[in-house]
Amino acid sequence: MQQLYKINSSCGDKFKKRIKLNLYLTTKICHMEPWRTGKVIKIEDATYNTKRFWIQVPEVESFNFKPGQFVTLDLPIHEKMNKRWRSYSIASHPDGTNIFELVIVLLEGGLGTTYLFNHVTEGSEIPLRGPQGVFTLPEELDKDLFFICTGTGIAPFRSMSNYIQLHNIPHRNIYLIFGCRLLKDCLYGHEMAHLEKQLDGFSYLPTFSRETGEDIRKGYVHSVYENIIQAGKPDASFFLCGWKNMIDDARKKLVDLGYTKKDIHFELYG
């Protein structure tokens, strides 16, 4: 998932400044982190078109990161350096080891994912830089959290949710609203359903736009959070991760529902 921030003419001045600040902070973090060599120690199929990659960073004892951050991989797919870089959210939570997990979907025509799927095997070494990014949890979880995502956009929210549970961090309601097309596309479904039983106030709400099976939630993510908000507008922070169209629609809908742009945090697929 390539991390991008979008600024357009419809954004207010304050919002533009905030995005520029995020860009500045992200760039600063990138410059502070050196390039290291990561070793792929395990690969598993997550779905028919998605793989899980476990990467070890042997030169450090502990690969420390904040839930929600990402790493940048340098892949041999182009002569120009900046066209070789691909950034992916870390799907695992920080556990004190030097191993982290990425979940990556094969994109049609995507040079980066094609290389990862066809040429990277267990034992492969990949230059990487990170952790990077400011798409992270607030210091105090004093508002309801809405984690709204599509596809592999669930990665940072899996990291955040597990981190909150394992460290017993005080929190209010947490809604993980995950959208995909079919049941076979569902990532970490059993794990998140189990976490719902372990973590007080955590609701796992998957929804499927093209599934015809029974006893499942059908439709898009927007109707899920709209129904929760309309039942009683909570004091909330919204974290959005996924495809651009979903992000754009959600931002507009949330503002129309009475939230401000400072309540909304997002990262887009590239």
Side-chain angles (χ1 to χ4, degrees):
M1 187 185 67
Q2 204 163 5
Q3 314 300 310
L4 300 174
Y5 294 91
K6 177 185 173 187
I7 303 174
N8 58 44
S9 58
S10 64
C11 296
D13 289 340
K14 289 184 179 179
F15 190 62
K16 290 180 184 179
K17 289 179 181 178
R18 180 166 165 268
I19 296 300
K20 289 177 180 177
L21 177 61
N22 282 346
L23 284 168
Y24 167 77
L25 291 173
T26 301
T27 302
K28 187 175 181 180
I29 291 170
C30 289
H31 288 167
M32 289 172 60
E33 294 298 330
W35 286 97
R36 296 186 171 98
T37 298
K39 183 177 180 180
V40 179
I41 61 170
K42 184 180 178 181
I43 302 173
E44 282 187 1
D45 290 334
T47 69
Y48 65 98
N49 68 343
T50 309
K51 290 183 181 291
R52 300 169 67 182
F53 296 81
W54 282 264
I55 300 176
Q56 184 178 42
V57 187
E59 67 187 80
V60 298
E61 184 174 337
S62 178
F63 186 75
N64 298 313
F65 62 93
K66 294 180 179 181
Q69 289 190 302
F70 63 93
V71 294
T72 298
L73 308 183
D74 185 2
L75 306 175
I77 55 176
H78 200 279
E79 292 181 358
K80 291 185 178 180
M81 188 180 303
N82 63 343
K83 294 193 175 183
R84 298 199 305 260
W85 296 347
R86 297 293 186 273
S87 296
Y88 301 96
S89 292
I90 300 172
S92 52
H93 61 274
D95 59 3
T97 72
N98 60 358
I99 299 169
F100 63 89
E101 179 188 337
L102 303 178
V103 59
I104 299 172
V105 63
L106 179 63
L107 299 176
E108 185 176 353
L111 293 179
T113 57
T114 297
Y115 176 82
L116 288 167
F117 273 59
N118 294 341
H119 298 286
V120 170
T121 59
E122 293 180 2
S124 294
E125 294 186 341
I126 303 175
L128 62 86
R129 185 169 63 186
Q132 304 163 218
V134 294
F135 187 70
T136 56
L137 290 167
E139 290 187 10
E140 292 187 14
L141 306 185
D142 55 358
K143 297 181 179 181
D144 286 2
L145 296 177
F146 284 75
F147 296 154
I148 304 169
C149 55
T150 52
T152 54
I154 195 174
F157 303 137
R158 179 195 185 223
S159 179
M160 293 177 183
S161 300
N162 279 315
Y163 183 81
I164 291 169
Q165 192 271 330
L166 290 168
H167 292 271
N168 198 26
I169 296 174
H171 61 278
R172 291 177 44 173
N173 294 317
I174 302 172
Y175 303 97
L176 175 54
I177 303 170
F178 173 51
C180 56
R181 293 179 177 178
L182 300 166
L183 277 170
K184 67 178 183 178
D185 299 315
C186 190
L187 296 169
Y188 304 115
H190 293 299
E191 178 185 322
M192 293 297 101
H194 181 63
L195 183 62
E196 186 175 36
K197 299 176 182 178
Q198 293 182 306
L199 181 57
D200 289 341
F202 177 77
S203 298
Y204 172 54
L205 304 169
T207 185
F208 303 91
S209 61
R210 299 187 183 179
E211 188 58 65
T212 58
E214 299 295 327
D215 300 323
I216 60 169
R217 186 178 293 100
K218 300 181 178 69
Y220 296 94
V221 295
H222 308 296
S223 62
V224 181
Y225 64 77
E226 285 175 330
N227 288 338
I228 296 170
I229 292 168
Q230 289 166 357
K233 183 184 172 186
D235 190 15
S237 291
F238 299 86
F239 288 78
L240 317 175
C241 190
W243 294 109
K244 179 180 180 299
N245 288 344
M246 185 277 285
I247 300 288
D248 288 346
D249 289 347
R251 287 171 57 206
K252 182 179 184 305
K253 289 176 183 294
L254 290 169
V255 171
D256 290 343
L257 286 165
Y259 292 95
T260 66
K261 290 177 179 178
K262 71 178 182 179
D263 297 321
I264 305 168
H265 315 271
F266 65 94
E267 285 198 329
L268 305 176
Y269 282 5

